């Protein structure tokens, strides 16, 4: 083979290797990605049970219930369209409270409730991305 052909074959082999590595990385990330759902999204198209997702919304006022074991809590995440019951075992963030925003990472169970592995509390309710702002109620509208 001439040097020119060797360089061409080597270049094509490098492109195939890079493409293969990219495809493997994307397929691995797709399986591990946690998607963001609002309670309204869940009401229209529920994610499959056991799939890692993020559930975001407002903690409904009066919904936080601390269980007897001292580390498990139950609460309701709501938006303008729907409500989802959530169970979390662990230490809650300092900013987690009724009427505030929360993103819970975990999975849905077969009965439609959400089991959170991690809670992320929002520090400020004044800013929301425009595509989400119209789905979230104001904190004072969640009073029962």
């Amino acid at each position: 083979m001439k040097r020119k052909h060797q360089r061409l074959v080597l270049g094509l082999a490098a492109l195939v290797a890079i493409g293969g590595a990219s495809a493997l990385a994307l397929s691995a990330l797709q399986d591990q990605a946690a998607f963001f759902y609002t309670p309204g999204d869940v009401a229209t198209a529920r994610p499959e049970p056991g799939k890692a997702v993020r559930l975001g919304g407002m903690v409904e006022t009066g919904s936080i219930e601390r269980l007897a074991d001292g580390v498990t809590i139950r609460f309701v995440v709501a938006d303008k369209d729907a409500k989802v019951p959530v169970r979390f075992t662990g230490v809650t963030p300092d900013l987690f409270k009724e009427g505030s925003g929360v993103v819970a990472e975990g999975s849905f169970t077969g009965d439609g409730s959400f089991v959170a592995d991690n809670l992320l509390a929002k520090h400020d309710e004044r800013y929301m991305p425009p595509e989400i702002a119209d789905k979230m109620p104001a904190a004072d509208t969640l009073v029962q």
Side-chain angles (χ1 to χ4, degrees):
M1 253 195 208
K2 293 183 181 179
R3 275 186 96 145
K4 186 175 184 180
H5 288 102
Q6 286 177 344
R7 283 192 303 241
L8 182 62
V9 169
L10 185 61
L12 289 174
L15 285 176
V16 168
I18 290 171
S22 298
L24 285 174
L26 287 174
S27 69
L29 289 174
Q30 186 178 22
D31 292 340
Q32 298 298 321
F35 298 103
F36 183 90
Y37 291 92
T38 63
D41 295 338
V42 172
T44 58
R46 183 165 307 199
E48 63 187 63
K51 181 180 179 183
V53 295
R54 290 182 177 159
L55 174 69
M58 304 294 280
V59 178
E60 188 173 60
T61 303
S63 70
I64 297 177
E65 172 190 357
R66 301 194 184 276
L67 301 184
D69 67 1
V71 293
T72 303
I73 62 168
R74 289 185 190 149
F75 59 97
V76 175
V77 173
D79 65 4
K80 291 180 180 178
D81 301 323
K83 300 176 184 182
V84 175
V86 178
R87 186 181 78 227
F88 174 71
T89 301
V91 179
T92 59
D94 292 337
L95 297 174
F96 177 79
K97 61 184 179 184
E98 296 174 345
S100 69
V102 67
V103 175
E105 298 175 333
S107 60
F108 283 92
T109 62
D111 66 356
S113 63
F114 189 81
V115 178
D117 302 321
N118 190 22
L119 292 181
L120 306 169
K122 294 182 181 180
H123 71 288
D124 189 4
E125 301 307 320
R126 286 183 231 138
Y127 174 77
M128 280 194 187
E131 61 271 6
I132 296 175
D134 62 329
K135 293 184 178 181
M136 295 296 146
D140 57 350
T141 61
L142 293 175
V143 178
Q144 289 285 18

